[in-house]
Amino acid sequence: MIAVSTGKISFKEQMLQAREDAIIHTVNRLLAEKGFDAMTVDEVAAAVGIAKASLYKHFPSKEDLAAAAMVRALERATSYLASLSDDQAAIDKLREVVRWTLQVKLAGEMPSLPSQNSSLRSTLLSNRQYMDGLMALSDRLGGWIGQAQEAGHLNRHLPPIAVLYTLYARACDPVVEFLKVGGQHSDEDIMRLVLTSCFDGLSAR
Amino acid sequence: MIAVSTGKISFKEQMLQAREDAIIHTVNRLLAEKGFDAMTVDEVAAAVGIAKASLYKHFPSKEDLAAAAMVRALERATSYLASLSDDQAAIDKLREVVRWTLQVKLAGEMPSLPSQNSSLRSTLLSNRQYMDGLMALSDRLGGWIGQAQEAGHLNRHLPPIAVLYTLYARACDPVVEFLKVGGQHSDEDIMRLVLTSCFDGLSAR
DNA sequence: GTCTATAAATAGATAGAC
DNA sequence: GTCTATCTATTTATAGAC
């Protein structure tokens, strides 16, 4: 049945896809709000408005729910990367990526997972979509990091992998939440502060 | 019964204290290893070698166990701060503090708690020892941050509170773990890299 | 595929004897 | 205070009707 589809089947598939989109959106929000451990499957089902058993027809486990949300997040990130003009210097694109990350985070839409959870970890490692998405993202960022180092814009003494990890870490930087709950700074302020400390460091220049 | 103690009572109290020390040490290790959510009270009791019910005679809840470990960690930090010479420049003391933090972390002895957990959060907020210790530590670091800014060593455009949070965040920086599991860098390398990106930033100088 | 109802397992906390 | 045994609540996951 390759390349054959009736309108009815397509419609059904669209409905299915739409529901899964809603599920993933809810999971994404809950992962951003309370994290993987505090998020319960009952909660997800209730928020989506379907029975828990129905949820398990779409995703075989809680870990797979989280994985689907992470795949979606990676797609959003990759999509944003593609929107950046090739005319910009690599260092500027990297700054823009971090800014975008902080924006998503401040909007409460950045899912974050505990790096210690082993069952979650193995699910992610065996998820091809996730691993491929992560590799694609890392390759692209890695390329820009190399370019920025060659151009003398990024510290050449830092291994590219360390730079990459440091950029990724902005997606779960607790400084953002701390400053936000402090209430003394606007979102724009927070982004500026974190961007400054990330790229320029704490020391005076 | 103030300032009165028999040898017997003192001995009993010493035994009690020793046991609680062992409990706190175990909790500290487990919090560093697997985090608060993954740590179970059964596990703590088994590791200490006592029954779970006995554990609950010492600490009324899992949250209080974690709080006790955090108080201990704050004491260790404060003790380290006190060991730093007043002759050093404030900026150097701050660098040393971060280096010490990374060392403890790399040794697998830095407990870290989820900032989202609300029951844990309220337990910590109502724990006087914890709050006092945190305040004392923050005051001291805050003083050094101010001095370093006045001396022109720290970026004056960053609010001291943002600097403080950024320093605290090194205690739960995932970059450290990522680089460590990568296996390509020694602990000394990792400390150098994280210290560089923290104080000097990713951008070239 | 969606539902209700329930299984199965886990974990925080406690009762009561000693 | 320490123990064994148990309670209670929660949560992941599934059975089975429709």
Side-chain angles (χ1 to χ4, degrees):
Chain A
M1 295 287 274
I2 295 172
V4 173
S5 71
T6 70
K8 200 168 189 179
I9 288 180
S10 176
F11 179 72
K12 272 189 186 174
E13 283 173 353
Q14 274 186 22
M15 290 284 86
L16 191 75
Q17 189 60 43
R19 173 148 289 185
E20 295 203 343
D21 278 355
I23 295 171
I24 291 174
H25 187 77
T26 296
V27 171
N28 186 86
R29 184 173 53 79
L30 289 173
L31 285 180
E33 256 178 39
K34 34 204 308 185
F36 180 77
D37 291 308
M39 178 186 82
T40 70
V41 179
D42 290 83
E43 200 171 19
V44 175
V48 175
I50 62 176
K52 185 163 54 168
S54 304
L55 202 55
Y56 274 98
K57 296 284 182 179
H58 291 276
F59 300 93
S61 73
K62 183 185 177 184
E63 283 77 14
D64 286 281
L65 275 174
M70 293 307 291
V71 168
R72 177 67 54 91
L74 285 174
E75 287 170 355
R76 287 178 67 184
T78 300
S79 170
Y80 177 75
L81 291 205
S83 79
L84 291 176
S85 163
D86 283 339
D87 297 342
Q88 292 179 91
I91 181 71
D92 292 327
K93 286 191 277 196
L94 292 175
R95 284 187 79 101
E96 287 306 310
V97 171
V98 172
R99 167 176 283 277
W100 174 84
T101 300
L102 296 173
Q103 244 165 0
V104 173
K105 190 169 173 54
L106 284 163
E109 295 171 355
M110 180 62 76
S112 76
L113 304 179
S115 51
Q116 316 112 330
N117 189 313
S118 64
S119 76
L120 179 56
R121 182 178 162 78
S122 68
T123 297
L124 289 175
L125 288 177
S126 63
N127 184 314
R128 191 171 212 117
Q129 279 191 295
Y130 174 79
M131 291 305 291
D132 286 352
L134 185 58
M135 290 300 154
L137 190 64
S138 298
D139 282 349
R140 202 152 193 145
L141 290 174
W144 293 349
I145 290 169
Q147 290 171 23
Q149 285 185 320
E150 284 177 27
H153 294 148
L154 269 190
N155 186 342
R156 284 191 173 91
H157 298 96
L158 291 172
I161 190 73
V163 176
L164 181 67
Y165 289 162
T166 301
L167 297 179
Y168 276 150
R170 285 330 102 208
C172 59
D173 191 344
V175 174
V176 177
E177 273 87 2
F178 284 156
L179 288 175
K180 193 166 176 71
V181 302
Q184 300 292 316
H185 301 89
S186 67
D187 284 4
E188 191 59 43
D189 279 344
I190 295 174
M191 286 191 284
R192 209 190 61 246
L193 293 173
V194 175
L195 272 167
T196 297
S197 76
C198 178
F199 284 95
D200 300 335
L202 297 178
S203 298
R205 290 218 170 211
Chain B
M1 297 286 274
I2 296 174
V4 173
S5 72
T6 70
K8 201 169 188 179
I9 288 180
S10 175
F11 178 72
K12 273 190 185 174
E13 283 172 354
Q14 275 187 21
M15 290 284 87
L16 192 73
Q17 189 61 42
R19 173 147 290 184
E20 296 202 343
D21 278 355
I23 294 172
I24 291 174
H25 187 77
T26 297
V27 171
N28 186 86
R29 184 173 54 79
L30 289 173
L31 285 180
E33 256 178 40
K34 35 204 309 185
F36 180 77
D37 291 308
M39 177 186 82
T40 70
V41 179
D42 290 82
E43 201 171 19
V44 175
V48 176
I50 63 176
K52 185 163 55 166
S54 305
L55 202 53
Y56 275 98
K57 297 284 182 179
H58 291 276
F59 300 93
S61 72
K62 182 185 177 184
E63 282 77 14
D64 286 282
L65 275 175
M70 294 307 290
V71 168
R72 176 67 54 89
L74 285 173
E75 288 171 354
R76 287 178 68 184
T78 300
S79 169
Y80 177 76
L81 291 205
S83 79
L84 291 176
S85 163
D86 283 339
D87 297 341
Q88 291 179 91
I91 182 71
D92 292 327
K93 286 191 276 197
L94 292 175
R95 285 187 76 100
E96 287 305 309
V97 172
V98 173
R99 166 175 284 277
W100 175 83
T101 301
L102 296 174
Q103 243 165 1
V104 174
K105 190 170 174 52
L106 284 163
E109 295 170 357
M110 180 61 76
S112 75
L113 305 179
S115 51
Q116 318 112 329
N117 190 313
S118 64
S119 75
L120 179 56
R121 183 179 162 78
S122 69
T123 297
L124 289 175
L125 288 177
S126 63
N127 184 314
R128 192 173 212 113
Q129 279 191 295
Y130 174 79
M131 292 305 290
D132 286 352
L134 186 57
M135 291 300 154
L137 190 63
S138 298
D139 282 348
R140 202 152 194 147
L141 290 174
W144 293 348
I145 290 169
Q147 290 172 21
Q149 285 185 321
E150 283 177 28
H153 293 148
L154 268 190
N155 186 342
R156 284 190 172 92
H157 298 96
L158 290 172
I161 190 73
V163 177
L164 182 66
Y165 289 163
T166 302
L167 296 180
Y168 276 151
R170 284 331 101 208
C172 60
D173 191 344
V175 173
V176 177
E177 273 89 1
F178 284 157
L179 288 176
K180 193 165 176 72
V181 302
Q184 300 293 316
H185 301 88
S186 68
D187 284 5
E188 192 58 43
D189 279 344
I190 294 173
M191 287 191 283
R192 209 190 61 244
L193 293 173
V194 174
L195 273 167
T196 297
S197 76
C198 178
F199 284 94
D200 301 334
L202 298 178
S203 298
R205 291 216 170 213

